[in-house]
Amino acid sequence: MMITVICGGTGSAKLIRGLDAVVDAEDLTIITNVGDNIWLYGLYICPDIDTVLYTLNASLDEKRGWGLRDDTFVFLRRYGALGEDNWFKIGDNDLATHVLRTKLLGEGHTLSRITSTLARRLRIRQRIIPATDQSLQTIILTTKGEMNLQEYWVRDQGEPIVQGVYYRGIEHVEPSKDVSSSILESERIIVTSGNPISSIGPTISIPQIAEALKRTTATKVAVSPIIGNSPINGPAGRMMKALGLDVSPAGIAKFYSSFLDTLVIDRTDESYSNAIKDLGMKAHLADIIMRNHEDEVELAKVLLSV
Ligand code: FO1
């Protein structure tokens, strides 16, 4: 069965590991967020693509949820000592990925071609495709001005008050090659439990992807990144509030209501089931917190069967 996963953020790694355990690699296409990408230190850094690459290559630092396990930060310290900002922690081994990606971009390759080159060299068999090869940036409007997701969350530690969020470039960008066909030809689309606004929103708001999600006959399921009124992690709540969405599984259902068939919510959130059904989709109760690999595999199985 052909499956397309729409993912982004560090929270996606666990579910991707679960899916990797139960789905044949050649049946899985993973479409990654690009809204968090950033130019820093003269390099093009794509955190959400790298999280998927490192997860499937079993080299992700699982404790942090980003970067490579056992990495060191000698380059970063030296860069700071030379008087430059060094707030975004690129490890010495991680650096090689960004240097190679930036070199290949400079030689004229597309981001999707570079991503498949990296995947091949890391012996990953699943297809990993950035949502678009063009520039698409999640911009957070705050009391301190407009900023990129990394500037808001990492540099400013999520402290500025969020007043709005928009996707710079969304009107003009086209999906990368094979993204729309993968959505149209899959039997199932799985949306991981990333931040709906900054990790999933940029991808599903690309006009041709939004259209493909409406047209496809695939079963479309998502996992809620919210339990009760609290995000499982990160700034999803602040962003949802700023966009006028209820911070609850029902708010997630509303955000995905243009295409979703089933929202998987936590067992403790049964009280939201009717509000979710009123939005035209099913609510399925499951254990959605993944504490270990067994939980990752169990949730993957739920998402393949509801
Ligand atoms: N997150 C942090 O909180 N601090 C960092 O210094 C940091 C560095 C970093 C480097 C490479 C990478 O791939 C991810 C990194 N992240 C870091 C995670 C990243 O900021 C976000 O969690 C994702 O963009 C959310 O999707």
Side-chain angles (χ1 to χ4, degrees), residues 221-297:
V221 299
V223 193
S224 175
I226 306 270
I227 299 181
N229 299 113
S230 310
I232 295 174
N233 56 36
R238 287 172 245 179
M239 291 185 189
M240 289 177 74
K241 228 181 255 165
L243 295 188
L245 286 165
D246 196 26
V247 183
S248 74
I252 298 294
K254 186 155 185 221
F255 192 71
Y256 293 147
S257 59
S258 63
F259 69 92
L260 203 67
D261 297 315
T262 302
L263 182 64
V264 177
I265 60 174
D266 196 71
R267 283 195 197 286
T268 55
D269 277 339
E270 193 175 358
S271 59
Y272 292 100
S273 295
N274 284 338
I276 293 169
K277 280 178 206 151
D278 288 348
L279 288 160
M281 66 185 79
K282 288 184 218 150
H284 181 90
L285 299 177
D287 297 316
I288 64 170
I289 294 193
M290 293 168 276
R291 293 183 180 85
N292 51 44
H293 187 56
E294 214 176 31
D295 293 350
E296 295 167 358
V297 174

Side-chain angles (χ1 to χ4, degrees), residues 8-11 33 35-37 41 45-51 54 60 64-68 73 76 86-91 94 98 149-150 153-155 157 195 198-199:
T10 52
N33 178 36
D36 295 3
N37 295 0
Y41 317 137
I45 298 166
C46 305
D48 288 354
I49 295 175
D50 293 346
T51 296
Y54 298 163
L60 184 78
R64 282 194 310 232
W66 50 266
L68 286 163
F73 294 87
L76 200 76
N86 65 353
W87 51 265
F88 198 68
K89 296 191 182 58
I90 294 299
D94 190 17
H98 314 304
L149 190 276
Q150 309 300 348
W153 186 241
V154 181
R155 186 193 61 194
Q157 304 283 298
N195 181 330
S198 64
S199 296

